Amino acid sequence: MISTTLLRTMRKASLAATTALMIGAVAAPAFVAPAYANGPESVADLAEGLLGAVVNISTSQTVKGGVDGEGGEKAVPMPQLPEGSPFQDFFDEFFKNREGQDNGDSQKVQSLGSGFVVDAEQGIVVTNNHVIADADEIEVNFSDGSKLKAELVGTDTKTDIAVLKIDPKAKKLTAVKFGDSNKMRIGDWVMAIGNPFGLGGTVTVGIISARNRDINSGPYDDFIQTDAAINRGNSGGPLFNMDGEVIGINTAIISPSGGSIGIGFSIPAEIASGVVDQLKQFGETRRGWLGVRIQPVTDDIAESLGMATAKGALIAGIIKGGPVDKGQILPGDVVIKFDGRDIVEMRDLPRVVAESPVGKAVDVVIVRKGVEQTVKVTLGRLEDGEKLAEGEPAKPEEGADKGAQVAAASVLGMTVGELNADTRAKFGIAAEVSGAVVTAVAKDSAAAERGIVAGEVITEIAQESVSTPKEVMDRIAALKEQGRKNALLMLASKTGELRFVTIRMD
C-alpha cells in the first residue's frame, strides 16, 4: 500500500511537470545512479579460485552415552523437525548411533568445522583448536567430494589455532597464503568461505566492521570484526581480502540465537601466521616471556605517577626467577614501549612480548618515578616460565628502616597495624610478604571503594617502601603537603600477589 504522504508527493510532482510542459519549460535531466548503486563488483571469479583450498573438518570422539552414563544424565532425545527439513539427514546420522546405547556404553560423536590449506607441498591445513579438540579421528573433506585422514601437528589454546597434516601425494592440493592484516581498514570488503551447519563451500561477503576487538577469549585478543555471515561450522575457515589472501581465521560469533547477526570475529593473520609457523616447525609455540604481572594504567594512577596521559602497562609484580628478576624492571614501573612498539594499553604488552623470539635482547622504555628511561631485557620462554609463575609470590621490595614505632594508624578509611607474628597468623600472611598490614577498612570509605580488605599489606606508597604504620602516616602526610589528590598504594595479598590502587585523599 502506498502511503498518503507518498501519494501527495507524486501528485505534486505530476502537477509540476504538467505545468512545466504547458509553459514550454526545459525538463531537468534524468537522474543517473552512481556506479556503486547496484552493489560491489561480483566476487564470483575470486570465490571460484579459492573454493578448492577451503576444506571441511569432520571429527569424531568417543564419549559416554545413554541413560545413567557419565554424570548420570539421560541421553538427549531426537529433536522433532518439520517435514522436509534440510537438517533431517544431519540429525538422523547423529542420533542413529545412539540407539541401543542407553546403558552408558561409549559412542561416537561427530562435529564439523572449517579449515584451509596453507602448504600444498607438505599438506598443511589450518583450523581452530576448538574444532578438533579431544578428537579421536580427524577427516578433511574437499569441495570436490574427496576425503583424506588428517593427523594433528600441533595446537595453541591461547589463540585457538590448530595445524593438521594430510598426505600431499594422495591429492593435488590448492593452497592459499596469509596476507597483511595490518593493512586492512574498517570498511574494506572481505569474503568468508566455510562449512556453516554442515553446508560446505558456502561463500559470504561483508566488510570489516571493527578492528582490535577484545572479547575476553584469551590473553592475546585482537580480533577483526566482520559482518560477513559467520555461523556454527564456519570456525577455522578463512577470511579473505579482495586479493584472495587470508587476513583472518573465523573463530567466534556473538549471537543470542546461534545464527549470524552480523557480528563475527576473526584471528588476524598478523597473529595467526606466526603461530602456524611455530606449530609447523616445532609442533608447539615458543613465545617470548618477560616475567612480570601487569595491570592497567588508570587516569588516577597516571596522575599519581606524574604521567601526562594514562597509557602503557603498570608492572604490579615480578616473577621470581624470571628474565627481569635482577632489577631491570621494578614494581611500579610503567612500560610504554617494547622493542620499538608503543604500548598504548595493558593488553598490548603480552601480545608484543609473545610475538618476540625467545632469547632476544630488547629495549624496553619505562617510566619510573616520573622519569622515562630505557632498559635492556633478554626474553625467556613463556612455556618454560608458566609453571614458575603459577603460585609463585611476587618478589617483595626490601623495607626501609622502621624508625619510631606506632602500634596502629588510621588513614584513608583504613586501620593499619604492624606486620608481626600475631597478624601474620591471624590473616594467614606468608613470610615473604613485608609492609604494614591493613587490619580493618571502614564501610563506604575511599579504601573500601577501591576493594581494599583487611589482611592486605601496604608495601609502597607513591613508589616509596613502607613497613610500619608510622611510615604509612608520614608518607600520606607528605603527599598531602605536596598537594597530591590521590595516593598510589602497592598492596600485597596474603600470598604476595601485588596490585596497585589509588585512593582519594580529599
Side-chain angles (χ1 to χ4, degrees):
M1 178 179 292
I2 302 176
S3 68
T4 303
T5 302
L6 181 56
L7 285 172
R8 288 174 180 170
T9 303
M10 294 171 64
R11 291 193 187 103
K12 289 179 181 179
S14 177
L15 179 61
T18 303
T19 303
L21 288 173
M22 291 175 63
I23 64 176
V26 179
F31 172 74
V32 178
Y36 57 79
N38 294 324
E41 186 178 350
S42 172
V43 295
D45 291 339
L46 179 64
E48 184 178 6
L50 298 173
L51 279 167
V54 182
V55 299
N56 303 337
I57 307 294
S58 174
T59 67
S60 62
Q61 178 185 358
T62 302
V63 299
K64 284 281 189 178
V67 178
D68 296 328
E70 186 173 353
E73 298 179 349
K74 293 187 177 182
V76 178
M78 169 84 172
Q80 299 299 314
L81 301 175
E83 185 176 354
S85 169
F87 303 111
Q88 186 68 52
D89 291 341
F90 174 78
F91 283 105
D92 285 346
E93 179 68 22
F94 180 84
F95 281 91
K96 73 178 182 179
N97 292 326
R98 303 178 70 100
E99 297 177 1
Q101 299 203 22
D102 290 345
N103 57 0
D105 291 340
S106 297
Q107 62 175 326
K108 292 270 189 179
V109 175
Q110 294 182 333
S111 63
L112 300 171
S114 304
F116 53 100
V117 180
V118 294
D119 190 326
E121 294 183 359
Q122 297 185 40
I124 300 298
V125 176
V126 174
T127 187
N128 278 145
N129 174 64
H130 76 260
V131 170
I132 53 85
D134 302 319
D136 298 321
E137 296 180 357
I138 306 173
E139 189 174 64
V140 173
N141 307 308
F142 294 86
S143 58
D144 61 4
S146 59
K147 302 178 181 180
L148 290 175
K149 294 291 183 181
E151 63 180 71
L152 183 61
V153 175
T155 64
D156 178 41
T157 58
K158 290 182 174 63
T159 56
D160 195 18
I161 292 176
V163 171
L164 311 176
K165 181 176 177 59
I166 56 178
D167 185 1
K169 298 179 181 179
K171 176 181 173 58
K172 185 177 180 180
L173 302 175
T174 301
V176 289
K177 64 179 182 179
F178 284 108
D180 188 349
S181 57
N182 286 329
K183 292 182 178 180
M184 301 302 295
R185 303 167 59 202
I186 295 173
D188 281 344
W189 287 102
V190 288
M191 180 173 65
I193 303 179
N195 183 33
F197 301 111
L199 305 172
T202 299
V203 178
T204 56
V205 176
I207 63 168
I208 291 178
S209 48
R211 290 181 54 94
N212 308 117
R213 286 297 197 211
D214 182 359
I215 61 175
N216 297 314
S217 69
Y220 311 123
D221 280 14
D222 189 30
F223 289 99
I224 295 171
Q225 181 181 316
T226 179
D227 66 352
I230 297 174
N231 291 284
R232 297 183 185 275
N234 272 108
S235 290
L239 187 70
F240 292 103
N241 61 18
M242 292 296 101
D243 292 324
E245 299 170 328
V246 179
I247 51 91
I249 301 176
N250 301 321
T251 298
I253 61 174
I254 291 179
S255 173
S257 64
S260 174
I261 61 170
I263 302 179
F265 300 99
S266 301
I267 306 166
E270 176 193 13
I271 294 176
S273 59
V275 173
V276 169
D277 288 342
Q278 288 188 358
L279 293 178
K280 282 172 57 180
Q281 185 175 356
F282 307 113
E284 60 183 1
T285 55
R286 298 187 177 183
R287 293 186 169 98
W289 180 51
L290 195 57
V292 297
R293 295 185 180 92
I294 59 175
Q295 69 180 69
V297 179
T298 64
D299 291 335
D300 288 342
I301 289 176
E303 180 183 355
S304 300
L305 294 174
M307 298 175 62
T309 58
K311 64 178 181 178
L314 177 64
I315 304 300
I318 306 296
I319 306 301
K320 187 175 181 180
V324 296
D325 188 33
K326 296 181 179 180
Q328 304 97 314
I329 295 178
L330 301 174
D333 291 346
V334 177
V335 178
I336 59 174
K337 184 172 289 189
F338 181 89
D339 199 20
R341 299 172 66 175
D342 291 331
I343 305 301
V344 180
E345 300 178 15
M346 178 193 74
R347 67 189 183 100
D348 295 336
L349 183 60
R351 187 170 61 249
V352 298
V353 173
E355 293 171 358
S356 303
V358 177
K360 182 180 181 180
V362 299
D363 288 329
V364 182
V365 180
I366 61 173
V367 176
R368 177 178 296 170
K369 297 183 178 180
V371 179
E372 187 174 310
Q373 55 185 282
T374 301
V375 296
K376 182 76 73 174
V377 175
T378 300
L379 297 180
R381 184 186 175 201
L382 176 63
E383 291 76 11
D384 294 337
E386 284 179 332
K387 292 183 179 179
L388 184 65
E390 291 177 359
E392 188 72 43
K395 186 177 182 180
E397 293 293 301
E398 292 297 328
D401 293 336
K402 291 188 176 182
Q405 299 298 305
V406 175
S410 181
V411 291
L412 306 177
M414 301 176 291
T415 302
V416 182
E418 292 283 349
L419 183 56
N420 51 33
D422 291 338
T423 52
R424 285 187 191 277
K426 179 180 178 180
F427 295 108
I429 300 171
E432 296 84 1
V433 179
S434 63
V437 63
V438 178
T439 58
V441 179
K443 185 179 179 181
D444 298 328
S445 64
E449 289 179 1
R450 293 301 186 184
I452 298 176
V453 296
E456 290 190 287
V457 177
I458 303 174
T459 62
E460 283 187 4
I461 298 178
Q463 297 186 293
E464 294 291 339
S465 298
V466 293
S467 58
T468 67
K470 184 180 185 304
E471 289 179 351
V472 172
M473 293 175 60
D474 292 345
R475 194 76 186 104
I476 295 297
L479 292 176
K480 288 181 177 180
E481 290 179 1
Q482 296 170 15
R484 299 282 189 94
K485 296 180 179 179
N486 298 294
L488 178 66
L489 274 61
M490 183 166 74
L491 299 171
S493 69
K494 62 182 180 180
T495 60
E497 292 285 342
L498 299 179
R499 69 184 179 107
F500 286 86
V501 298
T502 55
I503 302 181
R504 300 191 312 275
M505 294 189 299
D506 50 15

PDB file of all heavy atoms in Angstrom, residues 163-188:
ATOM      1  N   VAL A 163      47.081 -26.906  13.730  1.00  0.00           N
ATOM      2  CA  VAL A 163      47.684 -27.235  12.431  1.00  0.00           C
ATOM      3  C   VAL A 163      47.577 -28.735  12.213  1.00  0.00           C
ATOM      4  O   VAL A 163      47.947 -29.529  13.082  1.00  0.00           O
ATOM      5  CB  VAL A 163      49.157 -26.777  12.376  1.00  0.00           C
ATOM      6  CG1 VAL A 163      49.839 -27.311  11.124  1.00  0.00           C
ATOM      7  CG2 VAL A 163      49.254 -25.253  12.424  1.00  0.00           C
ATOM      8  N   LEU A 164      47.052 -29.116  11.042  1.00  0.00           N
ATOM      9  CA  LEU A 164      46.885 -30.518  10.663  1.00  0.00           C
ATOM     10  C   LEU A 164      47.771 -30.836   9.474  1.00  0.00           C
ATOM     11  O   LEU A 164      48.212 -29.939   8.743  1.00  0.00           O
ATOM     12  CB  LEU A 164      45.422 -30.795  10.300  1.00  0.00           C
ATOM     13  CG  LEU A 164      44.334 -30.320  11.272  1.00  0.00           C
ATOM     14  CD1 LEU A 164      42.958 -30.590  10.685  1.00  0.00           C
ATOM     15  CD2 LEU A 164      44.492 -30.996  12.613  1.00  0.00           C
ATOM     16  N   LYS A 165      47.993 -32.133   9.264  1.00  0.00           N
ATOM     17  CA  LYS A 165      48.771 -32.572   8.099  1.00  0.00           C
ATOM     18  C   LYS A 165      48.033 -33.700   7.395  1.00  0.00           C
ATOM     19  O   LYS A 165      47.561 -34.647   8.026  1.00  0.00           O
ATOM     20  CB  LYS A 165      50.161 -33.045   8.521  1.00  0.00           C
ATOM     21  CG  LYS A 165      51.049 -33.501   7.361  1.00  0.00           C
ATOM     22  CD  LYS A 165      52.436 -33.855   7.851  1.00  0.00           C
ATOM     23  CE  LYS A 165      53.318 -34.390   6.720  1.00  0.00           C
ATOM     24  NZ  LYS A 165      53.474 -33.413   5.624  1.00  0.00           N
ATOM     25  N   ILE A 166      47.919 -33.561   6.084  1.00  0.00           N
ATOM     26  CA  ILE A 166      47.336 -34.610   5.244  1.00  0.00           C
ATOM     27  C   ILE A 166      48.378 -35.049   4.230  1.00  0.00           C
ATOM     28  O   ILE A 166      49.405 -34.385   4.038  1.00  0.00           O
ATOM     29  CB  ILE A 166      46.062 -34.119   4.525  1.00  0.00           C
ATOM     30  CG1 ILE A 166      46.354 -32.850   3.709  1.00  0.00           C
ATOM     31  CG2 ILE A 166      44.941 -33.859   5.535  1.00  0.00           C
ATOM     32  CD1 ILE A 166      45.156 -32.324   2.936  1.00  0.00           C
ATOM     33  N   ASP A 167      48.133 -36.172   3.579  1.00  0.00           N
ATOM     34  CA  ASP A 167      49.081 -36.717   2.602  1.00  0.00           C
ATOM     35  C   ASP A 167      49.023 -35.902   1.315  1.00  0.00           C
ATOM     36  O   ASP A 167      48.029 -35.959   0.590  1.00  0.00           O
ATOM     37  CB  ASP A 167      48.735 -38.178   2.319  1.00  0.00           C
ATOM     38  CG  ASP A 167      49.748 -38.841   1.395  1.00  0.00           C
ATOM     39  OD1 ASP A 167      50.720 -38.163   0.989  1.00  0.00           O
ATOM     40  OD2 ASP A 167      49.558 -40.032   1.074  1.00  0.00           O
ATOM     41  N   PRO A 168      50.061 -35.137   0.993  1.00  0.00           N
ATOM     42  CA  PRO A 168      50.020 -34.307  -0.213  1.00  0.00           C
ATOM     43  C   PRO A 168      50.101 -35.118  -1.501  1.00  0.00           C
ATOM     44  O   PRO A 168      49.791 -34.601  -2.584  1.00  0.00           O
ATOM     45  CB  PRO A 168      51.247 -33.399  -0.049  1.00  0.00           C
ATOM     46  CG  PRO A 168      52.187 -34.190   0.785  1.00  0.00           C
ATOM     47  CD  PRO A 168      51.338 -34.989   1.719  1.00  0.00           C
ATOM     48  N   LYS A 169      50.510 -36.398  -1.387  1.00  0.00           N
ATOM     49  CA  LYS A 169      50.593 -37.240  -2.582  1.00  0.00           C
ATOM     50  C   LYS A 169      49.260 -37.880  -2.933  1.00  0.00           C
ATOM     51  O   LYS A 169      49.077 -38.379  -4.046  1.00  0.00           O
ATOM     52  CB  LYS A 169      51.648 -38.327  -2.367  1.00  0.00           C
ATOM     53  CG  LYS A 169      53.061 -37.779  -2.142  1.00  0.00           C
ATOM     54  CD  LYS A 169      54.051 -38.908  -1.915  1.00  0.00           C
ATOM     55  CE  LYS A 169      55.462 -38.368  -1.658  1.00  0.00           C
ATOM     56  NZ  LYS A 169      56.434 -39.460  -1.400  1.00  0.00           N
ATOM     57  N   ALA A 170      48.341 -37.884  -1.999  1.00  0.00           N
ATOM     58  CA  ALA A 170      47.054 -38.541  -2.232  1.00  0.00           C
ATOM     59  C   ALA A 170      46.117 -37.685  -3.072  1.00  0.00           C
ATOM     60  O   ALA A 170      45.152 -38.195  -3.642  1.00  0.00           O
ATOM     61  CB  ALA A 170      46.388 -38.881  -0.903  1.00  0.00           C
ATOM     62  N   LYS A 171      46.399 -36.389  -3.144  1.00  0.00           N
ATOM     63  CA  LYS A 171      45.525 -35.485  -3.883  1.00  0.00           C
ATOM     64  C   LYS A 171      46.286 -34.222  -4.242  1.00  0.00           C
ATOM     65  O   LYS A 171      47.117 -33.749  -3.461  1.00  0.00           O
ATOM     66  CB  LYS A 171      44.305 -35.136  -3.021  1.00  0.00           C
ATOM     67  CG  LYS A 171      43.360 -34.116  -3.639  1.00  0.00           C
ATOM     68  CD  LYS A 171      42.200 -33.807  -2.710  1.00  0.00           C
ATOM     69  CE  LYS A 171      41.350 -32.670  -3.267  1.00  0.00           C
ATOM     70  NZ  LYS A 171      40.813 -32.983  -4.614  1.00  0.00           N
ATOM     71  N   LYS A 172      46.002 -33.673  -5.401  1.00  0.00           N
ATOM     72  CA  LYS A 172      46.592 -32.403  -5.790  1.00  0.00           C
ATOM     73  C   LYS A 172      45.912 -31.304  -4.992  1.00  0.00           C
ATOM     74  O   LYS A 172      44.699 -31.112  -5.065  1.00  0.00           O
ATOM     75  CB  LYS A 172      46.417 -32.154  -7.284  1.00  0.00           C
ATOM     76  CG  LYS A 172      47.116 -30.885  -7.760  1.00  0.00           C
ATOM     77  CD  LYS A 172      46.982 -30.692  -9.265  1.00  0.00           C
ATOM     78  CE  LYS A 172      47.700 -29.415  -9.701  1.00  0.00           C
ATOM     79  NZ  LYS A 172      47.592 -29.196 -11.169  1.00  0.00           N
ATOM     80  N   LEU A 173      46.703 -30.577  -4.218  1.00  0.00           N
ATOM     81  CA  LEU A 173      46.153 -29.594  -3.302  1.00  0.00           C
ATOM     82  C   LEU A 173      46.309 -28.172  -3.832  1.00  0.00           C
ATOM     83  O   LEU A 173      47.269 -27.853  -4.538  1.00  0.00           O
ATOM     84  CB  LEU A 173      46.846 -29.691  -1.937  1.00  0.00           C
ATOM     85  CG  LEU A 173      46.770 -31.048  -1.222  1.00  0.00           C
ATOM     86  CD1 LEU A 173      47.606 -31.019   0.047  1.00  0.00           C
ATOM     87  CD2 LEU A 173      45.319 -31.397  -0.916  1.00  0.00           C
ATOM     88  N   THR A 174      45.345 -27.347  -3.466  1.00  0.00           N
ATOM     89  CA  THR A 174      45.406 -25.914  -3.750  1.00  0.00           C
ATOM     90  C   THR A 174      45.601 -25.187  -2.436  1.00  0.00           C
ATOM     91  O   THR A 174      44.876 -25.438  -1.472  1.00  0.00           O
ATOM     92  CB  THR A 174      44.107 -25.426  -4.412  1.00  0.00           C
ATOM     93  OG1 THR A 174      43.905 -26.143  -5.635  1.00  0.00           O
ATOM     94  CG2 THR A 174      44.172 -23.940  -4.704  1.00  0.00           C
ATOM     95  N   ALA A 175      46.580 -24.305  -2.376  1.00  0.00           N
ATOM     96  CA  ALA A 175      46.888 -23.607  -1.127  1.00  0.00           C
ATOM     97  C   ALA A 175      46.626 -22.116  -1.266  1.00  0.00           C
ATOM     98  O   ALA A 175      46.637 -21.554  -2.369  1.00  0.00           O
ATOM     99  CB  ALA A 175      48.342 -23.845  -0.729  1.00  0.00           C
ATOM    100  N   VAL A 176      46.370 -21.483  -0.137  1.00  0.00           N
ATOM    101  CA  VAL A 176      46.243 -20.031  -0.076  1.00  0.00           C
ATOM    102  C   VAL A 176      47.310 -19.516   0.886  1.00  0.00           C
ATOM    103  O   VAL A 176      47.875 -20.272   1.672  1.00  0.00           O
ATOM    104  CB  VAL A 176      44.842 -19.613   0.407  1.00  0.00           C
ATOM    105  CG1 VAL A 176      43.801 -19.905  -0.648  1.00  0.00           C
ATOM    106  CG2 VAL A 176      44.480 -20.298   1.718  1.00  0.00           C
ATOM    107  N   LYS A 177      47.572 -18.231   0.834  1.00  0.00           N
ATOM    108  CA  LYS A 177      48.624 -17.667   1.673  1.00  0.00           C
ATOM    109  C   LYS A 177      48.059 -16.570   2.572  1.00  0.00           C
ATOM    110  O   LYS A 177      47.010 -15.978   2.288  1.00  0.00           O
ATOM    111  CB  LYS A 177      49.756 -17.103   0.815  1.00  0.00           C
ATOM    112  CG  LYS A 177      49.357 -15.929  -0.069  1.00  0.00           C
ATOM    113  CD  LYS A 177      50.554 -15.412  -0.869  1.00  0.00           C
ATOM    114  CE  LYS A 177      50.163 -14.205  -1.724  1.00  0.00           C
ATOM    115  NZ  LYS A 177      51.327 -13.671  -2.479  1.00  0.00           N
ATOM    116  N   PHE A 178      48.781 -16.329   3.650  1.00  0.00           N
ATOM    117  CA  PHE A 178      48.385 -15.256   4.555  1.00  0.00           C
ATOM    118  C   PHE A 178      48.739 -13.904   3.948  1.00  0.00           C
ATOM    119  O   PHE A 178      49.783 -13.743   3.317  1.00  0.00           O
ATOM    120  CB  PHE A 178      49.094 -15.400   5.905  1.00  0.00           C
ATOM    121  CG  PHE A 178      48.515 -16.470   6.778  1.00  0.00           C
ATOM    122  CD1 PHE A 178      49.204 -17.657   6.988  1.00  0.00           C
ATOM    123  CD2 PHE A 178      47.288 -16.290   7.402  1.00  0.00           C
ATOM    124  CE1 PHE A 178      48.695 -18.644   7.805  1.00  0.00           C
ATOM    125  CE2 PHE A 178      46.764 -17.276   8.223  1.00  0.00           C
ATOM    126  CZ  PHE A 178      47.459 -18.460   8.421  1.00  0.00           C
ATOM    127  N   GLY A 179      47.856 -12.935   4.157  1.00  0.00           N
ATOM    128  CA  GLY A 179      48.107 -11.571   3.729  1.00  0.00           C
ATOM    129  C   GLY A 179      48.474 -10.697   4.917  1.00  0.00           C
ATOM    130  O   GLY A 179      48.661 -11.178   6.039  1.00  0.00           O
ATOM    131  N   ASP A 180      48.556  -9.416   4.677  1.00  0.00           N
ATOM    132  CA  ASP A 180      48.930  -8.458   5.721  1.00  0.00           C
ATOM    133  C   ASP A 180      47.652  -7.883   6.338  1.00  0.00           C
ATOM    134  O   ASP A 180      47.032  -6.972   5.781  1.00  0.00           O
ATOM    135  CB  ASP A 180      49.785  -7.348   5.129  1.00  0.00           C
ATOM    136  CG  ASP A 180      50.366  -6.421   6.200  1.00  0.00           C
ATOM    137  OD1 ASP A 180      49.940  -6.525   7.370  1.00  0.00           O
ATOM    138  OD2 ASP A 180      51.231  -5.585   5.868  1.00  0.00           O
ATOM    139  N   SER A 181      47.283  -8.411   7.506  1.00  0.00           N
ATOM    140  CA  SER A 181      46.055  -7.943   8.151  1.00  0.00           C
ATOM    141  C   SER A 181      46.196  -6.513   8.668  1.00  0.00           C
ATOM    142  O   SER A 181      45.184  -5.836   8.885  1.00  0.00           O
ATOM    143  CB  SER A 181      45.669  -8.877   9.300  1.00  0.00           C
ATOM    144  OG  SER A 181      46.714  -8.987  10.244  1.00  0.00           O
ATOM    145  N   ASN A 182      47.430  -6.050   8.878  1.00  0.00           N
ATOM    146  CA  ASN A 182      47.629  -4.686   9.371  1.00  0.00           C
ATOM    147  C   ASN A 182      47.190  -3.634   8.359  1.00  0.00           C
ATOM    148  O   ASN A 182      46.895  -2.486   8.729  1.00  0.00           O
ATOM    149  CB  ASN A 182      49.091  -4.460   9.732  1.00  0.00           C
ATOM    150  CG  ASN A 182      49.483  -5.144  11.026  1.00  0.00           C
ATOM    151  OD1 ASN A 182      48.669  -5.289  11.920  1.00  0.00           O
ATOM    152  ND2 ASN A 182      50.729  -5.584  11.109  1.00  0.00           N
ATOM    153  N   LYS A 183      47.178  -4.013   7.078  1.00  0.00           N
ATOM    154  CA  LYS A 183      46.791  -3.069   6.037  1.00  0.00           C
ATOM    155  C   LYS A 183      45.279  -2.954   5.886  1.00  0.00           C
ATOM    156  O   LYS A 183      44.793  -2.033   5.229  1.00  0.00           O
ATOM    157  CB  LYS A 183      47.400  -3.488   4.692  1.00  0.00           C
ATOM    158  CG  LYS A 183      48.917  -3.363   4.622  1.00  0.00           C
ATOM    159  CD  LYS A 183      49.422  -3.747   3.238  1.00  0.00           C
ATOM    160  CE  LYS A 183      50.936  -3.587   3.145  1.00  0.00           C
ATOM    161  NZ  LYS A 183      51.437  -3.970   1.799  1.00  0.00           N
ATOM    162  N   MET A 184      44.554  -3.879   6.493  1.00  0.00           N
ATOM    163  CA  MET A 184      43.100  -3.862   6.340  1.00  0.00           C
ATOM    164  C   MET A 184      42.490  -2.735   7.164  1.00  0.00           C
ATOM    165  O   MET A 184      42.896  -2.487   8.302  1.00  0.00           O
ATOM    166  CB  MET A 184      42.504  -5.207   6.773  1.00  0.00           C
ATOM    167  CG  MET A 184      43.042  -6.403   5.995  1.00  0.00           C
ATOM    168  SD  MET A 184      42.779  -6.266   4.206  1.00  0.00           S
ATOM    169  CE  MET A 184      40.981  -6.310   4.123  1.00  0.00           C
ATOM    170  N   ARG A 185      41.507  -2.077   6.576  1.00  0.00           N
ATOM    171  CA  ARG A 185      40.867  -0.928   7.218  1.00  0.00           C
ATOM    172  C   ARG A 185      39.390  -1.214   7.452  1.00  0.00           C
ATOM    173  O   ARG A 185      38.783  -2.055   6.771  1.00  0.00           O
ATOM    174  CB  ARG A 185      41.020   0.314   6.338  1.00  0.00           C
ATOM    175  CG  ARG A 185      42.451   0.673   6.017  1.00  0.00           C
ATOM    176  CD  ARG A 185      42.506   1.702   4.891  1.00  0.00           C
ATOM    177  NE  ARG A 185      41.792   2.909   5.251  1.00  0.00           N
ATOM    178  CZ  ARG A 185      41.316   3.777   4.349  1.00  0.00           C
ATOM    179  NH1 ARG A 185      41.479   3.528   3.045  1.00  0.00           N
ATOM    180  NH2 ARG A 185      40.680   4.864   4.735  1.00  0.00           N
ATOM    181  N   ILE A 186      38.831  -0.511   8.405  1.00  0.00           N
ATOM    182  CA  ILE A 186      37.389  -0.623   8.640  1.00  0.00           C
ATOM    183  C   ILE A 186      36.660  -0.156   7.391  1.00  0.00           C
ATOM    184  O   ILE A 186      36.917   0.936   6.877  1.00  0.00           O
ATOM    185  CB  ILE A 186      36.977   0.215   9.860  1.00  0.00           C
ATOM    186  CG1 ILE A 186      37.620  -0.335  11.132  1.00  0.00           C
ATOM    187  CG2 ILE A 186      35.459   0.255  10.011  1.00  0.00           C
ATOM    188  CD1 ILE A 186      37.400   0.513  12.352  1.00  0.00           C
ATOM    189  N   GLY A 187      35.780  -0.999   6.887  1.00  0.00           N
ATOM    190  CA  GLY A 187      35.062  -0.700   5.650  1.00  0.00           C
ATOM    191  C   GLY A 187      35.560  -1.472   4.450  1.00  0.00           C
ATOM    192  O   GLY A 187      34.895  -1.500   3.410  1.00  0.00           O
ATOM    193  N   ASP A 188      36.732  -2.127   4.555  1.00  0.00           N
ATOM    194  CA  ASP A 188      37.250  -2.936   3.454  1.00  0.00           C
ATOM    195  C   ASP A 188      36.379  -4.176   3.255  1.00  0.00           C
ATOM    196  O   ASP A 188      35.916  -4.793   4.223  1.00  0.00           O
ATOM    197  CB  ASP A 188      38.689  -3.382   3.731  1.00  0.00           C
ATOM    198  CG  ASP A 188      39.705  -2.289   3.445  1.00  0.00           C
ATOM    199  OD1 ASP A 188      39.348  -1.310   2.770  1.00  0.00           O
ATOM    200  OD2 ASP A 188      40.858  -2.415   3.903  1.00  0.00           O
TER     201      ASP A 188
END
